Amino acid sequence: MKKLVAANWKMYKNRTEAAQCVLDLIPLLKHIPADREVALFAPFTVLGSCSDVINSKGADNRLFLGGQDVYPASEGAFTGEISPEMLADCGCRFVLTGHSERRHVLGESSEFVGRKTAFALEKGLDVVLCIGETLEQREAGQLESVLAEQIGGGTADVPAGIEAARLSFAYEPVWAIGTGKVAGESEILEAHLLVRRLIEKKFGAKASEMRILYGGSVKPDNAGKIIGLDNVDGLLVGGASLQAESFSKIALA
Ligand code: PGA
């Protein structure tokens, strides 16, 4: 299994800034190990510019693009939404579903996240399904039940026969996102093992081939340690992914 190090640019960067960041990143990622992949989840408006740079520099087998969200339909009267086919047309291989900001700021349910996940996979995108508990839920002892609900709903319509490499999970404790509070080693180990067990329930033996990324205040100085932990198959990086230099250090950590 190749580890996946992914940048989540959220709602940052205009086209010029995004293209420059990709230009800066490409030489820095030249020596990425063969067992690692790098993805950029960029705002919809900059995907085309990023894709042009990646193609012109011949980095298309080293650096992959992804959308930060998707709607579960190919086209139609869905103002403001975007389809998997549109993302693919802009050069995307990946899409994120269920990011905590979409669940908690935009009110998305696990059922809706599940429809997006299944539809995007059906239309050929590889999906990184995000899950994670709030501090309140953790303190109330609900870690397992929250992850079970998010994974159950998020994968409800995904065929059990899906190719393992096409569906990854990102465990991102909500209290560690953008707060500088990285989860401790034992918390990451516990949660990732739980996620592995929960996906085994649905996908059986192939769950061992599905990537489980960690996200939440990952920085160049903690990335190496986290990515080396059991059941950690990659990283999803927000704030520290906005600068090419810091993100490349994380990707190579
Ligand atoms: P952060 O964000 O690295 O800034 O904590 C991670 C994410 O939201 O994916």
Side-chain angles (χ1 to χ4, degrees):
M1 176 202 301
K2 287 189 179 180
K3 296 211 179 199
L4 175 64
V5 181
N8 175 10
W9 283 354
K10 307 193 181 191
M11 200 173 72
Y12 292 98
K13 295 193 189 292
N14 61 30
R15 286 179 302 162
T16 310
E17 291 161 346
Q20 187 59 52
C21 192
V22 175
L23 259 180
D24 295 343
L25 210 46
I26 289 171
L28 296 171
L29 294 176
K30 205 168 178 172
H31 300 298
I32 192 92
D35 60 353
R36 284 214 185 163
E37 292 185 321
V38 181
L40 285 182
F41 291 97
F44 301 143
T45 48
V46 307
L47 288 170
S49 320
C50 293
S51 173
D52 289 347
V53 176
I54 290 172
N55 291 331
S56 72
K57 296 288 169 191
D60 45 341
N61 59 352
R62 236 181 310 140
L63 189 53
F64 299 97
L65 281 179
Q68 297 173 9
D69 187 34
V70 67
Y71 190 78
S74 292
E75 58 181 8
F78 304 108
T79 303
E81 295 298 326
I82 195 150
S83 72
E85 290 90 335
M86 288 169 175
L87 291 176
D89 185 48
C90 289
C92 289
R93 172 183 152 194
F94 287 100
V95 69
L96 285 181
T97 57
H99 189 276
S100 78
E101 286 144 21
R102 298 214 61 87
R103 292 179 191 267
H104 298 290
V105 183
L106 284 305
E108 286 189 10
S109 67
S110 292
E111 186 271 336
F112 190 36
V113 171
R115 282 167 49 211
K116 294 176 182 217
T117 302
F119 193 75
L121 285 168
E122 182 190 322
K123 295 299 169 187
L125 293 177
D126 292 354
V127 174
V128 178
L129 168 57
C130 304
I131 52 180
E133 83 289 1
T134 62
L135 187 58
E136 216 174 31
Q137 291 166 329
R138 169 167 280 266
E139 287 175 346
Q142 294 167 347
L143 174 66
E144 180 161 5
S145 60
V146 168
L147 295 179
E149 191 276 331
Q150 292 177 343
I151 291 172
T155 63
D157 297 325
V158 175
I162 189 77
E163 198 188 319
R166 298 196 50 222
L167 177 59
S168 303
F169 296 82
Y171 170 66
E172 299 198 299
V174 180
W175 45 273
I177 296 179
T179 58
K181 261 190 232 163
V182 67
E185 206 175 302
S186 60
E187 289 161 326
I188 298 175
L189 286 168
E190 180 197 13
H192 279 238
L193 183 59
L194 259 175
V195 174
R196 186 76 69 199
R197 296 225 169 104
L198 290 164
I199 59 178
E200 261 163 17
K201 274 196 195 158
K202 160 100 193 187
F203 297 102
K206 83 166 60 152
S208 65
E209 292 302 313
M210 289 176 163
R211 295 184 280 217
I212 307 172
L213 281 57
Y214 171 79
S217 297
V218 174
K219 306 277 180 261
D221 61 359
N222 60 25
K225 198 165 174 201
I226 298 173
I227 205 168
L229 295 174
D230 275 357
N231 284 311
V232 177
D233 310 307
L235 301 168
L236 182 56
V237 189
S241 74
L242 292 167
Q243 307 297 332
E245 207 184 311
S246 83
F247 182 58
S248 66
K249 282 186 186 150
I250 293 171
L252 294 162

